[in-house]
Amino acid sequence: MTGKKNWKVTILLILGSLFILFPLYLTVVVAFKTPQEMSESLLALPESWSFSNFLTAIEMTNFFSALKNSLLVTALTVILVLLTHSLVAYAIVRNMHKKFYKFLYFYFISAMFIPFPIIMLPIVKQTSMLGIDNLLGLAVMNAVMQLAFNVFIYVGFLKTIPTQLEEAATIDGASTWQIFWKIIFPLMKPMHATVAILTALFAWNDFMLPLLILTDSNQYTLPLVQYVFQGQFSTDYNLAFASYLMAMLPMLIIYIFAQKWIIGGVMRGSLK
């Protein structure tokens, strides 16, 4: 026996899909249009699908150099996050009965509620003072900015791993360090996948941190070089949208194929 359709939910899902698909459609259409075609009709398909906007955007933004910088920062950020945040979460969850570690956990979590503009100026001052106003410093700051959320979901996942595994390894003579890297870390693969994908999306798309930290234009990431299309009085939308489309395509493909790990991992980390 089939149940009745919930039309309210169906309509909401349709509207939600339109809110997501319409900007994507607009981005693709405008990227392939000429300024004249865009002024005549914004929503219509282009008369001829030309890649001239993409070639011009690549030349104006030095696209491949910025792509290399973004790939480097994203890879470094993901590696730092996986190696350090899981270790921090493990130390906290296995010592949660101690007041210091409980305080440390809530201290990290509280960082999720601090607006970024409040800490912008201290970040600029510290990175300049430490001499890390470069791609490596950007990767480190990305990892720091993601610490609160990642510790939250890592701790939730680690609580589901039985301590009997560690007790058995301790009886066999394994140290805490060996237990983590040889037993616990491999068991966290589902959560590693979720954290890696979310971190990569953040590091790839972030604009404010690179703008604040990077001082050398040769180290600019993709979101920064796209700012070249923003003029004082006007914006070249055709070139800008072509550049945006090229920049978001790699992460969009990754997200499409990896969304089940993102949703599943966040649910496991937050509910269990």
Side-chain angles (χ1 to χ4, degrees):
M1 183 176 178
T2 59
K4 295 181 179 179
K5 282 188 178 181
N6 192 331
W7 287 107
K8 292 182 179 179
V9 175
T10 303
I11 292 171
L12 287 175
L13 288 174
I14 293 172
L15 291 175
S17 300
L18 289 175
F19 274 115
I20 295 172
L21 294 175
F22 178 72
L24 185 59
Y25 167 80
L26 197 62
T27 302
V28 174
V29 169
V30 173
F32 283 94
K33 281 185 175 181
T34 63
Q36 292 76 17
E37 288 178 325
M38 191 179 72
S39 62
E40 292 173 1
S41 177
L42 180 64
L43 300 180
L45 293 173
E47 295 179 3
S48 61
W49 295 80
S50 173
F51 287 92
S52 59
N53 289 331
F54 294 89
L55 296 176
T56 305
I58 288 172
E59 183 179 354
M60 289 183 65
T61 60
N62 198 7
F63 178 81
F64 292 108
S65 176
L67 177 65
K68 180 192 68 176
N69 294 335
S70 288
L71 287 172
L72 178 61
V73 169
T74 303
L76 287 175
T77 302
V78 171
I79 292 171
L80 281 172
V81 162
L82 293 182
L83 294 180
T84 59
H85 293 188
S86 58
L87 193 58
V88 171
Y90 177 70
I92 289 175
V93 79
R94 290 298 182 254
N95 295 279
M96 192 67 83
H97 58 282
K98 299 178 182 179
K99 290 184 179 180
F100 173 74
Y101 286 93
K102 184 175 288 188
F103 166 78
L104 199 62
Y105 173 67
F106 288 109
Y107 174 75
F108 285 143
I109 297 305
S110 66
M112 289 194 292
F113 305 98
I114 299 176
F116 180 72
I118 293 178
I119 60 175
M120 283 196 316
L121 290 180
I123 286 175
V124 174
K125 185 176 180 180
Q126 288 181 4
T127 52
S128 178
M129 182 177 62
L130 297 173
I132 56 172
D133 47 353
N134 49 41
L135 294 177
L136 177 60
L138 178 58
V140 172
M141 290 308 304
N142 282 336
V144 172
M145 296 299 294
Q146 292 294 293
L147 179 64
F149 178 73
N150 289 342
V151 166
F152 174 70
I153 60 175
Y154 266 134
V155 166
F157 184 79
L158 283 166
K159 287 179 179 178
T160 66
I161 299 178
T163 56
Q164 288 80 357
L165 293 174
E166 300 165 53
E167 292 170 357
T170 302
I171 294 173
D172 291 337
S175 65
T176 304
W177 191 258
Q178 290 173 324
I179 289 172
F180 176 76
W181 291 113
K182 294 185 178 181
I183 299 175
I184 303 300
F185 192 81
L187 289 174
M188 297 167 67
K189 284 182 180 179
M191 190 53 63
H192 290 326
T194 300
V195 169
I197 294 165
L198 292 177
T199 301
L201 288 171
F202 168 80
W204 185 271
N205 295 321
D206 188 40
F207 174 78
M208 287 304 299
L209 268 179
L211 180 65
L212 293 172
I213 293 175
L214 299 177
T215 56
D216 185 358
S217 59
N218 293 323
Q219 296 185 342
Y220 281 1
T221 56
L222 282 172
L224 276 186
V225 298
Q226 290 167 347
Y227 196 66
V228 71
F229 302 112
Q230 308 294 324
Q232 185 177 0
F233 302 106
S234 63
T235 300
D236 193 330
Y237 290 104
N238 302 98
L239 296 181
F241 277 43
S243 180
Y244 299 157
L245 191 60
M246 290 188 293
M248 74 177 184
L249 194 58
M251 289 297 110
L252 186 62
I253 294 172
I254 291 175
Y255 183 80
I256 289 173
F257 287 101
Q259 58 181 319
K260 62 179 181 180
W261 288 294
I262 297 176
I263 298 170
V266 171
M267 294 298 294
R268 283 193 296 269
S270 59
L271 297 180
K272 289 187 177 180

